[in-house]
Amino acid sequence: MKKILFVIPDLRGGGAERVLVYLLSALDPSLFSVSLLTLFDCGENKKYLPPAVSYRSVFQKQFRGNSHLFKLLSPEALYRRWIPEDYDIVVSFLEGTAARLVSGCPSPKTKKVCWIHTSLREPSVFSLGFRNEEEAKRCYFSFDRLICVSERVRQDLPVAREKAVVCHNPLDAARIRRLAAQAPPFPLSEGEIRLCCIGRLTEVKGYSRLIPILRRLADGGLPVRCYLLGEGRERERLLREAKEAGVADRLILTGYLENPYAVLARCDWFVCCSYREGYSSAAVEALICGVPVVTVELPGMREILGEEALGGVICENTDRALEQTLFSVLRHPDPALRENAKRRAASFDGCRAVRKIESCLLSL
């Protein structure tokens, strides 16, 4: 049995955090003794951790300037301070701060793994959480294995591509469908076109670019209402911009929902307008719920929808292309797309994805 430790900053309501909780519950207990370390003891997903996982955290809550404070110490000093036990495998489940910490493991017997959830092609993203780009290169080179969530993410690696493999995010499709069948937590609009976005309210998700598009869709005679499921630091800005554009009643910020799938399943389209993604778990969840996807071009999207974009539409990652695509699909709806979405969802087998991950870890 392999003694394995996963490291992640926290267990908030993001896609990577949801994936990790499912993965920890699905790993074969006869093969792995699983522990989890979070830097901060917070997040909605904490309550879903399986009892068999040994859990601890470094700090009780987040504090301003933590990333700058962490950089005062070397990766090796951080590791010695926060991870005193020995493990067969230590996994950073995100890039950045967690990866810097895990890279400091001093034991040659311990295999180090980093999960890459986004494209690291841009130097500013690649070095995020590190002192500089050179330190980031040194740390990523030190890993025995880099697990990329999509082929495009692997291709975008600026270093150590020869150590990288692709493992798509595993999702619990049966649980998602079960939750989708439940009643939504609030009444949804009737007689309107329902759009849905799911994710943390951060700038990289591109929600702000949707606001003027909603205005022009409404001016064009399309009765749209967009449900934005998530919470984050961009909330007040989005509310202000929606009010200024006169679409405050068309952009519904629900906050974090325990069960977003009950809302998602009753929408007409899932929209992904992110500037950067690695492999959108929310897009896969939409397909599982039978909801077609409109997305800008992003890493992983063609792996999710297929080269023929079955169950969705992919457009250029520009505001104009997204607006034109939404006008087209909303004015000329294709009833077959919902069935296509369900058919495409059948290819996402969470158990098969977990078995591939287990093989990858055991082969180290």
Side-chain angles (χ1 to χ4, degrees), residues 20-332:
L20 176 59
V21 169
Y22 171 59
L23 175 61
L24 296 184
S25 67
L27 287 173
D28 189 336
S30 69
L31 299 176
F32 300 97
S33 172
V34 181
S35 297
L36 172 64
L37 174 72
T38 60
L39 301 183
F40 306 101
D41 188 21
C42 60
E44 301 86 351
N45 281 297
K46 181 182 172 183
K47 58 179 168 292
Y48 300 121
L49 284 174
V53 172
S54 175
Y55 170 77
R56 66 184 181 87
S57 60
V58 178
F59 299 101
Q60 187 173 0
K61 59 182 180 180
Q62 287 193 343
F63 53 89
R64 187 180 298 275
N66 61 74
S67 61
H68 298 292
L69 178 63
F70 298 159
K71 291 176 194 175
L72 295 177
L73 296 175
S74 69
E76 293 77 14
L78 290 174
Y79 193 96
R80 286 195 301 269
R81 180 182 292 262
W82 293 341
I83 308 179
E85 294 182 56
D86 292 325
Y87 294 92
D88 298 305
I89 306 171
V90 181
V91 180
S92 169
F93 204 70
L94 277 175
E95 320 81 21
T97 302
R100 185 173 184 267
L101 165 62
V102 172
S103 72
C105 176
S107 172
K109 296 180 180 180
T110 299
K111 300 300 182 181
K112 296 180 291 185
V113 178
C114 186
W115 230 280
I116 311 293
H117 289 266
T118 191
S119 170
L120 298 181
R121 182 173 55 180
E122 298 176 19
S124 60
V125 180
F126 175 67
S127 60
L128 195 65
F130 298 88
R131 288 174 176 171
N132 49 49
E133 194 172 343
E134 286 306 310
E135 184 187 61
K137 288 180 180 178
R138 186 170 65 254
C139 290
Y140 281 116
F141 264 123
S142 75
F143 283 98
D144 298 284
R145 182 67 49 82
L146 302 176
I147 297 180
C148 300
V149 296
S150 69
E151 176 58 30
R152 172 71 179 279
V153 167
R154 190 192 70 81
Q155 292 175 3
D156 284 349
L157 283 175
V159 296
R161 198 179 301 167
E162 68 282 358
K163 297 182 178 182
V165 298
V166 175
C167 291
H168 293 154
N169 288 336
L171 292 168
D172 189 347
R175 176 178 177 272
I176 291 170
R177 292 190 183 99
R178 186 171 65 252
L179 291 172
Q182 295 180 3
F186 51 81
L188 276 68
S189 61
E190 296 292 340
E192 293 184 317
I193 301 169
R194 300 170 185 165
L195 310 180
C196 184
C197 302
I198 300 179
R200 209 170 284 165
L201 306 186
T202 57
E203 188 175 356
V204 73
K205 294 296 185 181
Y207 297 134
S208 186
R209 72 203 296 197
L210 265 183
I211 292 172
I213 295 177
L214 288 175
R215 175 71 275 165
R216 287 189 282 273
L217 289 172
D219 290 344
L222 291 167
V224 294
R225 194 177 296 265
C226 181
Y227 293 91
L228 181 45
L229 317 183
E231 194 53 86
R233 59 178 179 269
E234 290 282 293
R235 165 179 276 273
E236 294 305 318
R237 175 188 171 190
L238 292 170
L239 288 172
R240 183 178 67 254
E241 291 180 355
K243 184 177 180 180
E244 291 170 354
V247 292
D249 61 333
R250 296 186 179 275
L251 184 68
I252 311 302
L253 276 65
T254 68
Y256 172 78
L257 297 179
E258 287 281 340
N259 178 10
Y261 312 115
V263 176
L264 171 61
R266 288 161 179 80
C267 289
D268 299 293
W269 288 91
F270 171 81
V271 180
C272 181
C273 51
S274 297
Y275 294 108
R276 189 174 69 248
E277 292 275 357
Y279 184 88
S280 173
S281 296
V284 179
E285 290 167 343
L287 296 177
I288 291 171
C289 291
V291 178
V293 173
V294 169
T295 177
V296 294
E297 182 73 64
L298 289 163
M301 282 302 183
R302 294 197 180 275
E303 289 167 67
I304 292 170
L305 293 175
E307 286 301 320
E308 297 180 357
L310 187 65
V313 180
I314 302 173
C315 66
E316 291 182 30
N317 198 339
T318 65
D319 296 0
R320 180 172 177 77
L322 179 59
E323 179 181 333
Q324 290 176 336
T325 301
L326 283 169
F327 263 112
S328 176
V329 300
L330 299 186
R331 280 180 170 160
H332 309 287

